[in-house]
Amino acid sequence: KCYPSQSQNIAFTCDIITSNNNNYNEKEDRYIPLERLTRGALIGEGEFASVYEGTYLKNNGQLIKVAIKTLHPEQMQSSKSEFLREAEVMMKLDHHCVVRLIGLSEGPPLLMVQELLPLGSMLQYITSNSDRINSNFEFKIWAAQIAYGMQYLEQNELVHRDLAARNILLASRNQAKISDFGLSRAFGQGHQYYQAKEGGKWPLKWYAPESYNYGQFSNKSDVWSFGVTIWEMYTFGETPYGDLKGSDAITLIEQGERLKQPDACPDHIYDIMKRCWDYKAAARPSFQELVDIFTTDSG
Ligand code: ADP
Ligand code: MG
């Protein structure tokens, strides 16, 4: 559903965030034989995986460009079940603000085949195109789309747990999508949050106090990470808390300090960020409210 708006600008935003402009809806076999794939250049590296550009020859003879994600070889044994879990989560999702999984290939190595987001990660894009971005326009659209996709995850009882600019991908200058479900978890019926049993390679600078203190992850802890993600956006890709270690950033948060207002960030948007970083999870805005805020013209 689109949200009421007065200005044309925002009507356009609404149009963009609610339009479903991709061709991956048709149900085709999700298991892709290796011989239907070709692998091209490396386009991204994360903590766990490498991502390549490639092509996929579909059953109907159509050749499409895809992104092929595979675990780093040294991770292959230890993280295979995690990788499959990630694919399983993505397979159930169907939203234009969430990166689509086209299928899995047994390889070897095990491969995830995703829709290709030609502009790559938001972090890369804002770092190398800062002169071409109108922060008042693109940033608001992207923030609205991220909140919209996150609201969809919330409806599906999922926590993302790795929301950050490096994990937002751009299909175009008008379409941001959420990706990297490697840490995402279902919190299950009747539960308010997902309880982590043990720590891991956690992105602490993006984490809410209840997450780094007690291992509790909820949609409200994702809202904290959303605040950090839009802070990265308005700084054109600065690292949160600079060179500080994650554990030192936590000390600052516990003392009541927060990330500073970026130069390109208007006061009313910094106010929203600070609400996302309320120590009390319940006091943070919901994703629904964030969608409303970023699709309503407030200057
Ligand atoms: P990890 O779980 O290791 O962090 P990601 O899924 O985040 O792996 O992918 C790492 C990087 O690869 C991303 O930051 C992005 O630059 C690139 N990438 C991942 N998926 C895609 C995609 N579908 N289209 C284009 N680039 C992608
Ligand atoms: Mg990642």
Side-chain angles (χ1 to χ4, degrees):
K1 278 274 160 286
C2 200
Y3 294 85
S5 68
Q6 279 78 41
S7 84
Q8 237 190 343
N9 201 3
I10 294 307
F12 179 52
T13 308
C14 276
D15 208 56
I16 291 165
I17 78 156
T18 53
S19 69
N20 203 339
N21 50 359
N22 66 71
N23 342 307
Y24 299 107
N25 278 330
E26 66 262 52
K27 293 272 176 280
E28 186 157 337
D29 196 0
R30 299 289 207 140
Y31 287 89
I32 299 176
L34 195 56
E35 56 273 16
R36 289 186 169 269
L37 296 170
T38 63
R39 201 178 78 176
L42 180 74
I43 52 171
E45 289 271 12
E47 187 82 50
F48 308 98
S50 306
V51 180
Y52 298 84
E53 199 174 64
T55 63
Y56 167 36
L57 179 62
K58 301 199 337 179
N59 287 337
N60 65 8
Q62 198 189 356
L63 190 70
I64 60 169
K65 286 189 172 175
V66 293
I68 300 177
K69 180 170 176 175
T70 179
L71 285 171
H72 296 145
E74 68 278 8
Q75 301 269 358
M76 198 48 95
Q77 270 324 309
S78 60
S79 311
K80 189 174 170 186
S81 58
E82 289 291 293
F83 195 68
L84 285 171
R85 184 220 288 258
E86 178 181 355
E88 204 177 305
V89 169
M90 288 184 87
M91 219 166 264
K92 292 183 189 139
L93 300 175
D94 179 17
H95 193 275
H96 64 284
C97 297
V98 174
V99 172
R100 286 174 203 275
L101 178 71
I102 298 172
L104 262 180
S105 183
E106 278 178 325
L110 192 59
L111 302 172
M112 225 187 270
V113 180
Q114 302 178 357
E115 67 169 311
L116 178 69
L117 286 270
L119 267 42
S121 83
M122 185 174 85
L123 183 61
Q124 292 160 350
Y125 190 82
I126 55 183
T127 314
S128 34
N129 296 282
S130 53
D131 47 334
R132 294 206 286 149
I133 292 171
N134 173 354
S135 60
N136 219 346
F137 184 63
E138 274 101 333
F139 287 176
K140 278 185 79 177
I141 293 177
W142 297 343
Q145 291 167 335
I146 299 165
Y148 199 46
M150 290 304 297
Q151 190 193 11
Y152 173 75
L153 298 188
E154 179 172 349
Q155 285 159 359
N156 283 274
E157 301 187 329
L158 280 176
V159 281
H160 186 284
R161 298 170 77 223
D162 202 4
L163 188 54
R166 62 183 173 276
N167 290 329
I168 300 299
L169 306 184
L170 296 174
S172 69
R173 286 173 66 168
N174 296 331
Q175 181 67 60
K177 303 191 183 206
I178 298 160
S179 85
D180 194 350
F181 289 80
L183 287 174
S184 68
R185 295 289 183 274
F187 53 82
Q189 280 188 338
H191 292 275
Q192 297 297 321
Y193 55 83
Y194 167 80
Q195 178 69 57
K197 308 275 183 310
E198 55 197 58
K201 276 190 179 171
W202 281 359
L204 292 176
K205 290 179 172 184
W206 282 259
Y207 273 5
E210 69 276 12
S211 304
Y212 60 68
N213 283 326
Y214 308 113
Q216 293 173 358
F217 295 89
S218 65
N219 302 114
K220 296 287 191 170
S221 60
D222 279 344
V223 166
W224 180 292
S225 310
F226 175 89
V228 181
T229 304
I230 63 170
W231 182 91
E232 293 181 88
M233 196 164 82
Y234 279 97
T235 59
F236 294 91
E238 272 181 39
T239 305
Y241 315 97
D243 293 334
L244 282 191
K245 284 191 298 187
S247 52
D248 294 331
I250 286 173
T251 308
L252 288 184
I253 297 295
E254 291 290 326
Q255 289 166 350
E257 284 195 45
R258 296 295 183 265
L259 290 164
K260 299 282 172 290
Q261 181 169 358
D263 292 340
C265 178
D267 290 346
H268 69 279
I269 292 185
Y270 187 57
D271 289 340
I272 298 163
M273 287 181 197
K274 283 188 294 190
R275 289 184 56 210
C276 293
W277 303 325
D278 198 301
Y279 201 89
K280 293 191 300 298
R284 296 171 207 151
S286 64
F287 282 117
Q288 171 69 67
E289 192 184 335
L290 290 165
V291 171
D292 291 344
I293 288 169
F294 284 102
T295 48
T296 305
D297 202 3
S298 45

